[in-house]
Amino acid sequence: MPGDNNIDQTIKRDDATPPRAAEKILGVARELFYRQGIRAIGVDEIVKRAGVTKPSLYRSFSSKDELAASYLRGYDLEFWGRFDEAVAAHPGDPRAQVIAFLTRVGKRTQMSGYRGCGMTNAVVEYPEAGHPARVVSEENKRELRRRLRAMAAEMGAADPDTLGDGLLLLIEGAYISGQLFGAGGPAQSVARNADLLIGASLAR
């Protein structure tokens, strides 16, 4: 699976009883979008698998684009949940925080059915600026870049922006190579390569 938490958390709840149809739709869309791509999956397939009607989908989501954006907002929450867990596990040690996060990334890339980062995949699928799915994904990547640069500065790097960007490139490379090579591929060593990059940057 693309994340460790339940996608249901992305549904806004106005009372104690969540909209059951919306939960089903988003859960099915999440699985299909991640496994097969957003453009490849039509609304008819989603409602069929969710066991709901098409009007039910459009009562919860104004369009397929909005459904895709909702899926990615949930993905975003899960991503930062994992990132923040790594940070919290190593207070005051940004190098260890980055390595802890990338260790988990490396392990996920070795899992059967791994399809990389849903955000990265969405950006590739939707090159047009302003598309709802692309907007959510771009915001995630920009924030990740900002955080990595800030963490590089905390490490004392002479050129923190370059180090932060280098770490981002390693992460994105792991997402893609994990899909290309699967188990035993280069993505399994992303944490080790990040540590080497950090060490070389700090040694200057």
Side-chain angles (χ1 to χ4, degrees), residues 190-202:
V190 63
R192 175 59 178 155
N193 278 287
D195 197 44
L196 290 171
L197 178 62
I198 293 169
S201 299
L202 299 183

Side-chain angles (χ1 to χ4, degrees), residues 18-42:
R20 187 176 175 87
E23 287 187 345
K24 287 182 177 180
I25 292 164
L26 195 50
V28 168
R30 167 199 173 86
E31 182 69 20
L32 293 175
F33 287 165
Y34 182 74
R35 299 298 179 194
Q36 300 181 42
I38 300 172
R39 285 191 184 275
I41 299 300

Side-chain angles (χ1 to χ4, degrees), residues 169-189:
L169 290 171
L170 279 175
I171 293 170
E172 292 298 324
Y175 292 150
I176 298 300
S177 65
Q179 299 184 63
L180 285 170
F181 295 96
Q188 66 183 329
S189 62

Side-chain angles (χ1 to χ4, degrees), residues 90-144:
H90 302 276
D93 190 344
R95 182 173 185 170
Q97 292 166 354
V98 169
I99 300 307
F101 174 70
L102 291 184
T103 296
R104 291 186 64 182
V105 170
K107 289 179 179 178
R108 284 199 304 279
T109 67
Q110 304 302 292
M111 296 172 63
S112 175
Y114 180 73
R115 283 277 291 123
C117 173
M119 298 285 188
T120 299
N121 296 344
V123 168
V124 173
E125 283 197 82
Y126 293 98
E128 58 270 31
H131 187 280
R134 186 179 180 90
V135 169
V136 176
S137 301
E138 286 181 346
E139 289 175 353
N140 173 275
K141 300 301 181 181
R142 289 195 183 101
E143 176 61 11
L144 178 58

Side-chain angles (χ1 to χ4, degrees), residues 144-154 160-162 164-165:
L144 178 58
R145 186 187 190 198
R146 185 196 69 78
R147 292 199 194 190
L148 290 172
R149 285 180 159 199
M151 293 168 85
E154 289 179 48
D161 287 353
T162 297
D165 285 352

